[in-house]
Amino acid sequence: MEEKTFQCPYCGVGCGLYIDDRGRIKGDFQHPANLGDLCKKPIYLPKVLDEGRLGKPLYRESKDRPFSEVSWEEAFTILKSKLTELSPKETYFYISGQLLTEDSYVINKFVKGLLGVNNIDANSRLCMASAVSAYKYAFGSDGVPCTYEDIDDADAFIFVGSNAAVSHPVLFKRVLRRRRKTDQMVVITIDPLETETARKSDLHIQIRAGTDTVLLNSVLYVLHREGWLDFRFIDTYTEGFDEALRVAQDFPPETAAQICQIKEEDIYILAKIFAQSRKLISFWCQGLNQSVNAVSKNLALINLHLATGRLNAKGCPFSLTGQPNAMGGREVGYLSNGLPGYRDVRNAEDRRFMEHFWNVDRIEPRPGRTITEAIDAILSGDVRLLWVVCTNPAVSLPELDKVKKALSKVFLVVQDAYWNDTCRFANLILPASQVGEKEGVMTGSDRTLTLCRAFKEPYGDSKPDWLIFAQLAQSMGRGDMFPYEESRDVFDEFKLTTEGRLCDISKLSYEELPARWGKRWLYEELKFPTQSSRARFYPAKFTVASERGRFILITGRLKNNWHTMTRTGKSPELLKREIPPYVIMNPKDALELGIGERDLVKLSSDRGSVERVVVFGNIKRGHVFAPFGYPYELAEPINLLISDRYDPISKEPDLKFAGVDVIKLKGAEEIGKGDL
Ligand SMILES: Nc1nc2c(c(=O)[nH]1)N[C@H]1C(S)=C(S)[C@@H](COP(=O)(O)OP(=O)(O)OC[C@H]3O[C@@H](n4cnc5c(=O)[nH]c(N)nc54)[C@H](O)[C@@H]3O)O[C@H]1N2
Ligand SMILES: Nc1nc2c(c(=O)[nH]1)N[C@H]1C(S)=C(S)[C@@H](COP(=O)(O)OP(=O)(O)OC[C@H]3O[C@@H](n4cnc5c(=O)[nH]c(N)nc54)[C@H](O)[C@@H]3O)O[C@H]1N2
Ligand code: SF4
Ligand SMILES: [Mo]
């Protein structure tokens, strides 16, 4: 069985899976992340592995021409000549938390080491960047402080801005299993929408979108007022409490309840749980991360854990990772400011280490542009080549009208396993091998590394992502920097960069995986990798964007599909009840506008408009919810409506807050019965 084990290519829970002799996907009972469990999505993987794949490199110099097949050699010649013609500053690389660690490491080395620029970012900018900034501020590193095992003896769980029942199902099932074992347990969900997670919770706090910082500050206010703070913990292990409290003093419950449009009593309940539960885990995800106020939201939550000493045996602030290897990408330092081994380009010692390790003259000391900044730089003519690997920006980036203009203008290289919507804008398409066709490592949410083994031949002429970059370097005469024969060679090089670092995996080899880095409790001794060795409180100020329109549009996920659906969208079993593309409205809001369930409506913001079918749900008045990710073939993407403004610290876009108006286009009877 071992030859066929791999990590699920979908969410960050990082379940261990295997493919049995009859080609069916099963959960791996030996794997600590899932103990044999799995959800529905990977079950349908085998059927779609070869559907709609890219099998040959394709090229066209001009975007109004059809593509022709070219050989890999020709593709490398084209790339070499573009990279020689342009200065490295005019190139930009946009990669993904779904790549293997080996892939991200080699691409990062190619850009930051060989080309000598930090013009690289990952789709984690749209995903985990805020959590990374917050964790680093509070604890000095962005490793998750606890592990999944901590679920099994906790008695209080908060899901804030997380629909884990849908987005991290195996983890959520573990929480529900814990609930079945004890009646002394409470689950609370904080979300403007009554999600599946909210429905399965004991309390749903239906917050106004964007206002979490106010609610969480107010909880700190109550903890202080009631004398529920753990001053021994605060004095011994933290700094910055007074300033954080000063900000929280602006939000007594009566004020906060008004801003957040919730009951005062709920703020008190949250405070009580922080003060009185035995062990409390608060999980959060994109409801906190994708906001102009995201880093404050994250840190206002972490403040509560610090104020009540809720770490290790007493609890954990647990950031749920979205993509299967966003954690590995963080270890490799694949954002525009990162370097391998949890290093940063702004740190001179970190640069010196990597310059020596890679044997290069100079690593740029300034972080490169983020992806949204790179889109602007394409439009202004500063960036002229964009190379996209394992992500689908034509659907998933905000302010899509602008993105489409940029994609049409730039020399675009798309390296993907499947034909996706970004390919329509490409000049050069490179076919990548995917899960099951290549070998390498991924790290899940709780720091567990899994070896993904190959179990089939690569499709067509596709190649592993790391190999494409290594071979290009070779054809540029720099094979010396990339002397790898197989993925294991890449891993063995990368792991040396982690020696003595927090994420030390230098002693691990493929044979020993799955294995976790760090202790079960990363900060077991309550010494933190900050300058003072103390954890830091943050004065979490509140801001919110001003948007026009009657409703706040929030966006999120579908239960059985994965983002832009290049794989899951090919399974009718998974699409059932998820098409036609819909928007959730509160029935009272809809009635006021003469809109009935299943009517076709137009949603429009200052940036664009799209059509959707209405589904009624328990969503806060004044809000509508639409899943993002539908490919163009199914619908105009919702991201046409969304602004690319971002949090000032993490530069993560405000993907869950757009002002929109809704008007009825057609009645349900006119559009007929769909699948919903
Ligand atoms: N409005 C709105 N927008 C959002 C979000 C939101 O909540 N709301 N969420 C954001 C978040 S959190 C994320 S993570 C992004 C996700 O957005 P994307 O990253 O754009 O979405 P995916 O569909 O996962 O794209 C992955 C691509 O990689 C390809 N692929 C799969 N395996 C491989 C491989 O091994 N190699 C290569 N080269 N390609 C491969 C797939 O075919 C697919 O084209 O969307 C963001 N956008
Ligand atoms: N089935 C499935 N699972 C996935 C994915 C997928 O595409 N499909 N993608 C994976 C990835 S990359 C990611 S990043 C994760 C994302 O996982 P989640 O963050 O759980 O998913 P979302 O649906 O984007 O957003 C979660 C919730 O945030 C709420 N929300 C919106 N605005 C606010 C706010 O201001 N405050 C609060 N408190 N809540 C708010 C939304 O109503 C939504 O229910 O899922 C991962 N798992
Ligand atoms: S919970 Fe996530 S990692 Fe586990 S099987 Fe489902 S999608 Fe895959
Ligand atoms: Mo994500």
Side-chain angles (χ1 to χ4, degrees), residues 136 259 564 591 653:
K136 280 191 178 160
I259 299 173
T564 73
L591 198 70

Side-chain angles (χ1 to χ4, degrees), residues 543-601:
T543 53
V544 68
S546 78
E547 281 274 289
R548 288 199 308 139
R550 180 175 174 137
F551 295 97
I552 301 172
L553 165 69
I554 49 185
T555 56
R557 280 154 175 83
L558 288 164
K559 183 174 173 113
N560 292 324
N561 271 281
W562 179 257
H563 300 155
T564 73
M565 304 185 177
T566 58
R567 279 183 297 229
T568 52
K570 291 176 182 129
S571 300
E573 300 89 339
L574 294 178
L575 279 174
K576 220 172 169 184
R577 283 193 288 277
E578 298 195 341
I579 48 170
Y582 61 88
V583 58
I584 298 179
M585 289 188 84
N586 183 304
K588 290 189 182 131
D589 283 332
L591 198 70
E592 281 178 14
L593 296 171
I595 295 170
E597 187 152 38
R598 304 188 56 83
D599 285 356
L600 184 72
V601 293

Side-chain angles (χ1 to χ4, degrees), residues 101-163:
T101 295
E102 292 79 353
D103 298 326
S104 307
Y105 176 77
V106 169
I107 301 173
N108 211 34
K109 182 175 180 181
F110 184 92
V111 181
K112 290 176 182 152
L114 177 59
L115 298 183
V117 287
N118 298 330
N119 287 349
I120 177 166
D121 209 18
N123 55 2
S124 293
R125 184 66 63 189
L126 314 178
C127 181
M128 306 312 298
S130 301
V132 168
S133 300
Y135 262 155
K136 280 191 178 160
Y137 182 87
F139 300 122
S141 104
D142 65 338
V144 174
C146 68
T147 67
Y148 299 141
E149 286 156 55
D150 287 287
I151 295 172
D152 303 337
D153 63 354
D155 63 342
F157 298 90
I158 297 174
F159 289 91
V160 47
S162 149
N163 183 10

Side-chain angles (χ1 to χ4, degrees), residues 339 348-365:
L339 286 172
E349 204 181 307
D350 288 355
R351 283 198 310 277
R352 252 194 318 276
F353 177 89
M354 287 313 302
E355 283 161 358
H356 178 74
F357 189 85
W358 282 340
N359 193 19
V360 296
D361 292 340
R362 182 172 179 272
I363 288 171
E364 242 195 332

Side-chain angles (χ1 to χ4, degrees), residues 281-456:
I281 304 184
S282 43
F283 292 105
W284 79 94
C285 202
Q286 300 314 338
L288 298 199
N289 292 344
Q290 295 168 335
S291 163
V292 277
N293 196 218
V295 176
S296 272
K297 285 184 177 195
N298 274 254
L299 284 160
L301 177 65
I302 296 175
N303 282 348
L304 299 177
H305 280 263
L306 298 179
T308 52
R310 298 216 157 266
L311 276 179
N312 300 344
K314 293 178 78 182
C316 178
F318 195 130
S319 147
L320 290 166
T321 308
Q323 297 177 91
N325 195 32
M327 291 292 288
R330 280 142 79 168
E331 289 150 21
V332 159
Y334 69 171
L335 292 180
S336 55
N337 61 299
L339 286 172
Y342 274 28
R343 290 184 176 80
D344 196 294
V345 298
R346 289 164 290 199
N347 179 313
E349 204 181 307
D350 288 355
R351 283 198 310 277
R352 252 194 318 276
F353 177 89
M354 287 313 302
E355 283 161 358
H356 178 74
F357 189 85
W358 282 340
N359 193 19
V360 296
D361 292 340
R362 182 172 179 272
I363 288 171
E364 242 195 332
R366 281 190 28 211
R369 294 182 173 96
T370 64
I371 181 59
T372 47
E373 293 168 337
I375 294 294
D376 289 330
I378 292 171
L379 292 172
S380 68
D382 292 339
V383 166
R384 295 170 61 199
L385 179 145
L386 173 66
W387 188 331
V388 175
V389 187
C390 196
T391 174
N392 193 359
V395 180
S396 57
L397 280 180
E399 197 118 15
L400 271 187
D401 225 14
K402 188 161 133 186
V403 171
K404 287 201 276 183
K405 286 190 189 109
L407 296 179
S408 307
K409 179 173 178 185
V410 76
F411 184 89
L412 180 65
V413 185
V414 175
Q415 179 170 322
D416 206 281
Y418 293 84
W419 175 270
N420 67 18
D421 282 314
T422 307
C423 291
R424 298 192 290 124
F425 300 86
N427 296 90
L428 180 62
I429 295 179
L430 305 174
S433 304
Q434 64 158 339
V435 56
E437 300 167 354
K438 57 179 180 181
E439 196 175 51
V441 169
M442 292 211 187
T443 310
S445 259
D446 84 338
R447 300 179 265 120
T448 299
L449 277 73
T450 303
L451 173 62
C452 305
R453 295 179 185 271
F455 51 80
K456 70 193 278 288

